[in-house]
Amino acid sequence: MSGGTKRIQNDPWWLRAGAMAFTLLFLGFAVLLPLVSVFVQAFAKGLGGWWAAVSDPDTVSAIRMTLVAALGAVPLNTAFGIAAAWLVTKHRFPGRHLLVSLIDLPFSVSPVIAGLVFVLLFGAQGTFGPWLQAHDIHIIFAWPAMILATAFVTFPFVARELIPVMEEMGTQPEEAAVMLGAGGWTVFRKVTLPGIRWGLLYGVILCNARAMGEFGAVSVVSGHIRGETNTLPLHAEILYNEYDFTGAFAVASLLTLLAGATVVIKLWLERRIAR
Amino acid sequence: MSRPLPGFRLTFGIVATWLSLIVLIPLAGLFLRASSLPLPRIWEILSSGRTLSAFRVSFGCAAAAAGVNALAGPVVAWTLVRYDFPGRRFLDALIDIPFALPTAVAGITLTTLYATNGWVGRLLDPLGIQVSYTLKGIVVALVFVGLPFVIRTVQPVLEEFPAEAEEAAALLGASRLQTIAKVILPSLAPAILTGTILSFARCVGEYGSVVFIAGNMPGKTEILPLLIITHLEEYQYGEATAIASAMLLLSFGLLVLGNRMQARLVRGRTR
């Protein structure tokens, strides 16, 4: 960043003006306009119309389901992410690079396929379907599948942020602590954790944003049962398809606020990490 | 390493268990199920007109959107890294919005904007251009979804680009434009390629932002993920499984190919 500004003079004015005009237009059209449009549509019937949609029992239930999916998936993926980063950066073993690729795998899988794989395992015609039915256990079209599908799509986030941070720390601080007789858990808590906490928070924030906003994967496994297995994004879809645009965009405005908060916290953390 | 750190067995256990439960076993289940179909049946599913069209729409629109971002991304990254102007930080923050905004929200707001009575659609309609419910709409949604990838991969490379190289080129008599085209752009190429491939891979599987704007006409504007859902809702598990497996294999193959190309490009530069 620092070296950038003093090189301005090198560029001819038309290049500078052209690049800036293009950037403004492109980002204005592609990103800013859609954001503004969400709020204009959400408040098209005034604050009252917005509040009526947001406080509707179905919306409240969708908020609850969204929290369930995120609270189920994010802590588990966080614990996994920490374990994976420790394993990959503090130890050397054959298959290490393969493991890193496997952790990233869910990023290249369509969300719809992420939902499909769980339907194939636990659905009525799935591998374990008949057994589950015989024991009256509901996974698909119920909260367990929502958590599983969310866990799949948000799987790499925490690990992916932590691995480079812990790689850069090296292993010397931990080795010194072990030499001084500290146990494994103490080493992690007192030596590793203080060094990675901002990176960890960063990963958790991104993981959470994706978990709460996921659409395709949960759409496949939810069964769209209103008031039961609908998350906020799914609820916005239903309202939109029923031509209740104010309602749909009111719900969308909640999710947009979440996205805005995520980006702000992300920037704040990035500045902390850089320091 | 003087002495192995503790926790290998514990973390290995956690990682192996969670990775298997959430990712490996479910994906293996998909391929196992697909492989239980007779080969002629798989061929029949994949070569049907509707499936082939969905492949064309998904991969074609993803390629078009990735192409737009490959051209626009470096310009945006250049502006944000090289120039200082009021609102630069705000624009930089906007780049992350497509990552953070739920895809369904992007889908409904873009559809509304580009519908014939929407803010943008109203301007395009008199020109005879319809975006919502056409292939153009799919590309618009995918440009949004894939927007951050190229910008975010090019930015750090541009920030660390040595000023000496530019100065040397200028001293040797290169014009500013020549310096950009012959000195800076080639060293950005691997980053641009990486960003483009990531954006393409993301767009191929994209569902939420596309279903609203696509119109979803079978054989015309139907994308692969939607076709999979349609088969699933009609309990045609064989079709859903075969198409999903083919799609996964294709995108894995493309990613591997992309990595290879990038490795070659990087090696070519350093040699």
Side-chain angles (χ1 to χ4, degrees):
Chain A
M1 254 332 107
S2 54
T5 47
K6 60 175 185 265
R7 275 180 257 179
I8 291 180
Q9 307 90 310
N10 294 349
D11 289 349
W13 69 269
W14 52 266
L15 180 64
R16 218 182 321 152
M20 266 155 72
F22 177 83
T23 300
L24 268 173
L25 262 173
F26 184 66
L27 294 182
F29 247 89
V31 187
L32 197 57
L33 198 62
L35 282 186
V36 173
S37 162
V38 168
F39 290 101
V40 171
Q41 306 279 348
F43 292 104
K45 288 183 188 156
L47 208 61
W50 179 82
W51 178 248
V54 168
S55 58
D56 181 87
D58 284 340
T59 309
V60 174
S61 137
I63 294 176
R64 201 176 311 129
M65 193 62 226
T66 302
L67 291 176
V68 167
L71 280 175
V74 176
L76 285 170
N77 277 341
T78 304
F80 163 79
I82 296 171
W86 179 274
L87 178 67
V88 166
T89 60
K90 308 290 175 192
H91 301 277
R92 292 285 176 272
F93 55 94
R96 212 173 119 254
H97 291 285
L98 177 70
L99 185 63
V100 175
S101 314
L102 286 179
I103 292 171
D104 271 344
L105 199 60
F107 274 155
S108 47
V109 175
S110 170
V112 166
I113 298 179
L116 169 73
V117 292
F118 292 108
V119 174
L120 292 179
L121 283 181
F122 304 119
Q125 297 181 43
T127 316
F128 303 110
W131 186 88
L132 289 169
Q133 240 162 9
H135 292 77
D136 200 31
I137 302 170
H138 300 279
I139 293 186
I140 295 297
F141 304 152
W143 62 267
M146 308 285 285
I147 292 179
L148 284 172
T150 307
F152 185 104
V153 291
T154 59
F155 190 83
F157 279 95
V158 177
R160 185 174 245 216
E161 293 307 329
L162 281 186
I163 289 173
V165 177
M166 278 165 81
E167 193 81 67
E168 210 173 308
M169 275 177 75
T171 52
Q172 268 120 6
E174 283 90 353
E175 275 162 8
V178 170
M179 295 271 266
L180 293 171
W185 182 240
T186 315
V187 172
F188 173 72
R189 224 161 34 93
K190 295 267 163 91
V191 180
T192 314
L193 199 56
I196 63 166
R197 59 189 167 176
W198 300 119
L200 179 63
L201 192 57
Y202 189 93
V204 171
I205 294 289
L206 295 186
C207 183
N208 179 66
R210 179 69 198 266
M212 290 191 168
E214 177 50 30
F215 180 71
V218 290
S219 165
V220 173
V221 299
S222 86
H224 300 276
I225 309 166
R226 230 179 152 129
E228 271 181 53
T229 59
N230 261 343
T231 60
L232 280 175
L234 297 176
H235 191 51
E237 179 199 22
I238 291 187
L239 294 175
Y240 184 86
N241 287 340
E242 287 171 350
Y243 303 104
D244 178 0
F245 294 130
T246 309
F249 279 103
V251 172
S253 72
L254 294 180
L255 291 165
T256 308
L257 288 175
L258 170 75
T262 304
V263 170
V264 170
I265 298 174
K266 179 175 173 278
L267 286 176
W268 178 73
L269 282 173
E270 269 166 358
R271 234 181 291 168
R272 276 212 92 105
I273 293 168
R275 230 184 280 149
Chain B
M1 195 181 292
S2 51
R3 195 173 144 187
L5 286 169
F8 179 78
R9 285 157 66 129
L10 175 70
T11 52
F12 192 87
I14 295 174
V15 170
T17 310
W18 192 236
L19 183 68
S20 305
L21 282 180
I22 298 296
V23 180
L24 298 183
I25 295 175
L27 283 181
L30 172 75
F31 286 116
L32 220 65
R33 190 120 176 175
S35 64
S36 71
L37 292 167
L39 226 56
R41 177 88 189 98
I42 296 180
W43 180 246
E44 186 195 329
I45 295 166
L46 293 182
S47 63
S48 87
R50 190 175 177 183
T51 312
L52 284 179
S53 152
F55 266 99
R56 264 198 307 274
V57 172
S58 275
F59 281 84
C61 291
V68 170
N69 280 323
L71 293 175
V75 181
V76 174
W78 176 268
T79 311
L80 293 178
V81 172
R82 290 302 173 96
Y83 306 139
D84 208 1
F85 53 95
R88 188 183 59 87
R89 299 187 69 95
F90 175 72
L91 287 185
D92 194 57
L94 276 185
I95 311 288
D96 282 325
I97 287 291
F99 277 154
L101 193 72
T103 53
V105 176
I108 62 174
T109 179
L110 287 172
T111 311
T112 313
L113 276 177
Y114 287 89
T116 44
N117 59 354
W119 295 350
V120 184
R122 203 180 307 161
L123 305 175
L124 297 175
D125 194 41
L127 308 173
I129 304 172
Q130 214 197 331
V131 177
S132 279
Y133 318 120
T134 69
L135 290 178
K136 290 189 204 92
I138 301 180
V139 176
V140 165
L142 293 181
V143 166
F144 177 85
V145 167
L147 181 134
F149 290 95
V150 177
I151 302 173
R152 287 295 187 235
T153 45
V154 171
Q155 264 179 328
V157 183
L158 211 47
E159 267 162 30
E160 268 151 42
F161 192 79
E164 299 82 48
E166 284 173 58
E167 281 155 18
L171 278 175
L172 291 171
S175 75
R176 189 65 190 138
L177 227 46
Q178 279 173 319
T179 309
I180 291 173
K182 299 250 168 88
V183 180
I184 302 175
L185 210 54
S187 45
L188 293 184
I192 296 176
L193 184 69
T194 311
T196 308
I197 289 166
L198 287 175
S199 147
F200 178 75
R202 169 72 205 265
C203 289
V204 164
E206 178 55 23
Y207 173 71
S209 60
V210 178
V211 272
F212 297 97
I213 205 167
N216 306 327
M217 288 263 293
K220 288 208 176 96
T221 53
E222 188 176 50
I223 51 166
L224 277 171
L226 180 70
L227 183 59
I228 293 172
I229 289 195
T230 309
H231 283 309
L232 205 56
E233 278 171 355
E234 286 164 10
Y235 299 103
Q236 296 163 333
Y237 280 37
E239 278 84 347
T241 319
I243 296 169
S245 308
M247 196 180 156
L248 272 186
L249 288 178
L250 255 171
S251 23
F252 291 163
L254 279 168
L255 279 178
V256 172
L257 197 75
N259 279 339
R260 283 261 179 85
M261 269 165 67
Q262 199 210 346
R264 185 168 303 172
L265 215 56
V266 172
R267 238 182 302 135
R269 295 279 324 152
T270 47
R271 214 185 286 145

